Amino acid sequence: MVDPTDEIARQARQGSVAAIIQLLNEQLASSGVRTRAIRENGVLEMLCEAESVEQIEQTTLVPRIREILETIRPSNIRRVKINCRIVREQQSLWLEEISRDPENHLLWFEEITLTRRNPFKRLATDMRERNSKSVKPSQLKPSSPFERDRRQLRRGMLGGILMSGALLLGGWAAYKALAPKQGDRTQATKPESSTNLSPNQQTLSVANQTNSPNVSGDPFAAAVRLAEQASVDGKKAQTRAQWLEIANRWQQASDMMGQVPATDRRYQTALNRKSVYRKNSESALRQLQKRRS
């Protein structure tokens, strides 16, 4: 059975905003600081709140948050904007509020850039974690020749997977290095880079391109499908890991609604649903907090 703590850490490394905030809140709880976050235009917008100014001293809090995030090393997140204020009642649209009038709503804010993680080290870390979970010391028994052969086969398969991953990463790096900086007309019609998209959004984008080569995809429809699934799963969720996944899906659906262009006839509806889905994500996070063991 997978430890819920390990599952949350894994999702945080994959770029789940809900998981990242869960880990931040656990590590900052002793200092009385609570955080919320939204991924907006490729930037992780964070809101830090505390009862007193001393608890959110900029020179102390910023290095602490940087240290936690660089330990997590979330995928596709490099820019982080830290907004700070004295705690107030729950406000789901806090980002819009501080964006309109930051001087009257914030004590301070600062944007930081996280260091990149070596992709080969990341792959090796993930593989070590999987291996450490596979067999517990108490479960080890004297091995038969057949079992030894099976272990050797698994090690060979693992080596092949690592080698394939290294080759794929090397090929991707070579492609990025050799690709022309100024594309032709065909390249100009491609959708924006998936660097700022979450893993589920990248999957939806690739699926849309595969099924409809001449269409860039419909973020509105994709968001609706993801929201419907989150709604169904939310009716039967029991564990922290399940509520975390539901919160993540609602946030991804909100992000997708934010990608609907202003020229789309559904643009106003998308703006409304973006806010609704974001509230649903925060509601799911509250359910997760209630189930903290």
Side-chain angles (χ1 to χ4, degrees):
M1 182 175 180
V2 178
D3 188 334
T5 303
D6 293 339
E7 177 64 15
I8 292 172
R10 182 185 67 81
Q11 292 195 27
R13 286 194 299 274
Q14 292 179 348
S16 166
V17 176
I20 292 170
I21 292 306
Q22 175 71 10
L23 295 180
L24 278 167
N25 283 334
E26 288 178 355
Q27 297 196 45
L28 295 174
S30 60
S31 60
V33 177
R34 294 290 299 170
T35 65
R36 284 182 276 172
I38 298 171
R39 189 182 295 179
E40 192 81 8
N41 298 323
V43 179
L44 184 66
E45 292 273 2
M46 287 183 54
L47 177 65
C48 300
E49 296 179 308
E51 296 287 346
S52 66
V53 175
E54 292 75 14
Q55 291 172 304
I56 47 178
E57 173 62 37
Q58 186 173 3
T59 57
T60 303
L61 185 59
V62 172
R64 178 61 177 145
I65 291 176
R66 179 192 291 275
E67 177 186 7
I68 296 172
L69 291 177
E70 291 190 341
T71 300
I72 298 172
R73 294 188 181 276
S75 297
N76 301 329
I77 293 179
R78 291 204 64 206
R79 295 172 57 203
V80 181
K81 184 177 180 182
I82 305 170
N83 304 283
C84 235
R85 71 181 183 186
I86 299 298
V87 69
R88 59 184 63 183
E89 293 182 2
Q90 179 76 14
Q91 295 182 8
S92 59
L93 300 180
W94 60 268
L95 182 59
E96 288 82 349
E97 178 184 276
I98 65 176
S99 296
R100 285 195 303 266
D101 191 8
E103 293 185 359
N104 292 326
H105 289 92
L106 294 176
L107 292 176
W108 54 265
F109 66 88
E110 181 174 336
E111 184 171 322
I112 61 176
T113 302
L114 306 181
T115 58
R116 290 187 180 276
R117 185 179 185 181
N118 187 302
F120 295 101
K121 290 184 179 179
R122 183 183 184 88
L123 179 61
T125 300
D126 292 343
M127 297 306 299
R128 282 199 302 271
E129 288 179 353
R130 294 192 187 98
N131 290 337
S132 66
K133 297 176 188 175
S134 59
V135 179
K136 296 181 180 179
S138 59
Q139 295 175 334
L140 295 176
K141 297 179 181 179
S143 59
S144 66
F146 176 70
E147 291 173 337
R148 286 196 297 270
D149 291 341
R150 289 181 62 185
R151 286 200 298 270
Q152 290 176 358
L153 177 60
R154 284 197 294 268
R155 284 197 293 268
M157 293 176 63
L158 177 61
I161 293 172
L162 284 171
M163 181 62 70
S164 299
L167 290 173
L168 285 173
L169 286 171
W172 178 82
Y175 169 77
K176 295 296 288 185
L178 297 175
K181 295 184 180 296
Q182 295 182 349
D184 55 15
R185 291 176 59 189
T186 302
Q187 185 175 357
T189 62
K190 291 183 179 180
E192 292 181 0
S193 168
S194 61
T195 303
N196 296 328
L197 299 182
S198 63
N200 284 343
Q201 288 174 297
Q202 293 178 22
T203 302
L204 288 168
S205 177
V206 171
N208 285 331
Q209 293 176 26
T210 303
N211 296 329
S212 303
N214 296 324
V215 180
S216 60
D218 186 353
F220 186 97
V224 170
R225 287 195 297 269
L226 196 59
E228 289 175 349
Q229 185 61 49
S231 177
V232 171
D233 292 345
K235 296 177 182 178
K236 53 186 179 182
Q238 297 293 331
T239 66
R240 294 177 64 201
Q242 289 171 336
W243 279 113
L244 177 64
E245 179 62 25
I246 291 167
N248 193 27
R249 288 182 182 175
W250 280 120
Q251 183 59 51
Q252 289 169 354
S254 176
D255 292 343
M256 290 179 189
M257 282 299 180
Q259 297 174 21
V260 176
T263 54
D264 194 304
R265 58 183 176 80
R266 302 163 297 179
Y267 178 67
Q268 291 300 326
T269 302
L271 288 180
N272 177 264
R273 293 196 181 186
K274 176 183 177 182
S275 174
V276 172
Y277 292 169
R278 184 182 299 165
K279 292 178 183 178
N280 290 346
S281 176
E282 294 180 352
S283 176
L285 282 177
R286 288 194 293 272
Q287 292 294 329
L288 185 150
Q289 292 289 340
K290 291 179 182 179
R291 285 159 176 75
R292 178 181 293 177
S293 57

